[in-house]
Amino acid sequence: MIDKEQLHNMVEGGENDRVEFKECSDSIPSSAYETVASFSNTNGGTILLGIDDAGEIMGINEDDELKLKSDFVTALNSPDCIEPPVYVQPQTIDTDQGKVIAVTIPNSSQVHKHAGKVYLRDVESDTDITNNQQRLSDLYQKKRTAFTETKIYPELTFEDLDSSLFDKARKLIRANQSDHPWIVLDDKELLEASILYKKDFTTGQEGLTLAAALIFGKDQTIQSLLPAYKVEAMVRRENLDRWDDRITLRTNLIDTYQQLKEFVYKHLSQKFHMEGDQRIDLRDVIFREVIGNAVVHREYTSALSTNLIIGRNEVTITNPNKALFHGPIDPSSFNPHPKNPNIRKFFTSFGWTDEIGSGIRNTTKWLPRYVPNAKPLFIEDDVFKTIIPLEVAHLGTYVNKWITLLDLPEELSQHIEEGLEEVLLPSDLIGASWNEVLLYLVPSWHKKGTKLERLDWPDKQFYKEEDIKEVPSWTTNGTKLLHKKVMYLIQILTLTSTPISLDDMMSAIGYKNRATFRGNYLDPLENVEFVTKTIPDKPQSPDQKYVITEKGKLFLGGHNLVSE
């Protein structure tokens, strides 16, 4: 769901490839449907009804709010308007200037047409590509290759599906939204409306898709299509070599989701939080999202399993993935992309997932209330990794020894401590001594730093435990333990753990030459996205400061920056 702050940010950012404003008082402008088609065919986006092209909130006619929502939903389910249909849930946001209706359009696995025309989103425009054969061909090819859930199996029949799952699905949908249009459809109509039964207009193939088998298939059907597919959940608290409890699932996604939640609830404690007058089950809102993401966004053609491991200090979920990039996700600035939009649509209809990207945002929001000071870690890679801390260790615990090690001014201790409390350590270091922390971090920096060419990490650096322990005063004297360049890099990451100006940074380190400081240390840290400017659009601003990024915090805290 989009809140007031997100709406404000969208309006401030103006129209772009993911946001469209539509002035709308008492009727939906016809151009909105072109945008629906273009967002569906490109990367998805949000249409804001009640805002003019200049970004001024005009508001809708409040008396027509329900009619506007109903008209929009009805039109998107009519083949005369959008073919194939697009299912959306319009949302009203109250502002001081009036009500705005927000409609989030997902990136679809299908090519959608409005009034017989195909549109793509180009910057802030909806471009008609119906007669551009090259772009049209490229679009169909992209849709075929991007979403393996849409693969048609001509020999897959209704006999291969479990009819009881259709009734179960309708009950779940009805419980979440009593007027959902899918509730009144028969089994085949339901599959067609949700694009689980489709026709490929480029090949002429028609039939049930892989997503249909995964949601409604009998267990033997799923195993015949995907022999290696399985989901495992285990507890490793006492028996770390094997497990204390374990389940292995090779069944449909509805039962998989429900059984994973039951397993987590069996082994993790419940905790409530009051948000205004609303009592929120934190365990439920966090793991609803985490498990929903694992089921919805998995690459199902992979032979790797999905694993959920509940350990002593953290929950780890690994999932086969079609990676868009490699590295940690910054929840404050990431651009979500759908992996299995048709499966996600079903889970959204159940109330098990929200719009694309909500899982990361909601988990980040609620986890610190479940585990104080905790932050989830999401790593995009060929195996997507999610880490949910159950206990927290941070560098702020060792601030005095840290300042001594790096030879930083004691008067900055409060500045540094506040920042280091946001630099979380791996769960293995919970309760660790200073010596143990240092013996972990120094080799970790070297191992990861040498893989980053733009950082030009020195090869001559102590990084083996036996070598480190031979360095005199290694626990307190960083100038002896760390290579000179490494010392500067770690000092900069430490000082930027809260925003700091260039002059204050150089003063704290005792560095005089601005040009070499930038060229040898600060610029390389910016290049690898460990540090960023607080005012990136105005690099020469007199108020400019530098701050460590989430990626930089992970490096400083000794975390892996890619999934293993």
Side-chain angles (χ1 to χ4, degrees), residues 320-502:
N321 181 45
K322 186 179 286 186
L324 297 165
F325 67 95
H326 299 271
I329 291 174
D330 185 345
S332 66
S333 61
F334 79 109
N335 289 317
H337 290 267
K339 305 292 176 65
N340 296 303
N342 289 334
I343 293 174
R344 185 189 63 79
K345 275 191 291 187
F346 246 101
F347 271 56
T348 300
S349 73
F350 297 157
W352 292 351
T353 60
D354 294 323
E355 74 272 9
I356 187 72
S358 65
I360 288 177
R361 287 192 294 268
N362 289 339
T363 304
T364 302
K365 174 183 176 180
W366 295 113
L367 180 60
R369 294 163 171 84
Y370 186 66
V371 180
N373 301 316
K375 294 189 293 186
L377 175 58
F378 306 97
I379 301 174
E380 174 87 357
D381 209 336
D382 294 332
V383 174
F384 191 97
K385 188 173 187 179
T386 302
I387 299 176
I388 306 296
L390 300 176
E391 292 187 54
V392 172
H394 57 75
L395 273 178
T397 304
Y398 311 93
V399 62
N400 292 328
K401 293 183 181 297
W402 192 262
I403 287 174
T404 300
L405 176 79
L406 298 181
D407 194 25
L408 293 170
E410 290 187 9
E411 58 265 27
L412 292 178
S413 59
Q414 184 175 353
H415 167 98
I416 293 172
E417 184 175 9
E418 290 175 1
L420 292 186
E421 287 177 353
E422 296 297 314
V423 179
L424 302 187
L425 296 169
S427 62
D428 291 344
L429 295 180
I430 290 173
S433 68
W434 167 243
N435 290 15
E436 290 170 328
V437 169
L438 205 51
L439 285 172
Y440 183 93
L441 291 182
V442 174
S444 168
W445 296 335
H446 181 77
K447 179 181 177 181
K448 299 172 183 64
T450 51
K451 294 180 180 179
L452 300 168
E453 293 182 8
R454 287 176 292 177
L455 208 53
D456 192 24
W457 193 272
D459 288 330
K460 294 181 180 179
Q461 164 66 48
F462 297 106
Y463 63 93
K464 294 181 180 178
E465 183 174 325
E466 57 270 23
D467 295 332
I468 292 171
K469 288 183 175 180
E470 290 182 4
V471 179
S473 306
W474 63 274
T475 61
T476 58
N477 195 336
T479 58
K480 291 184 178 180
L481 176 63
L482 303 175
H483 184 283
K484 185 177 181 180
K485 179 164 187 174
V486 172
M487 186 75 165
Y488 284 136
L489 294 172
I490 300 302
Q491 285 175 326
I492 292 170
L493 290 175
T494 299
L495 291 166
T496 57
S497 60
T498 50
I500 187 171
S501 69
L502 176 59

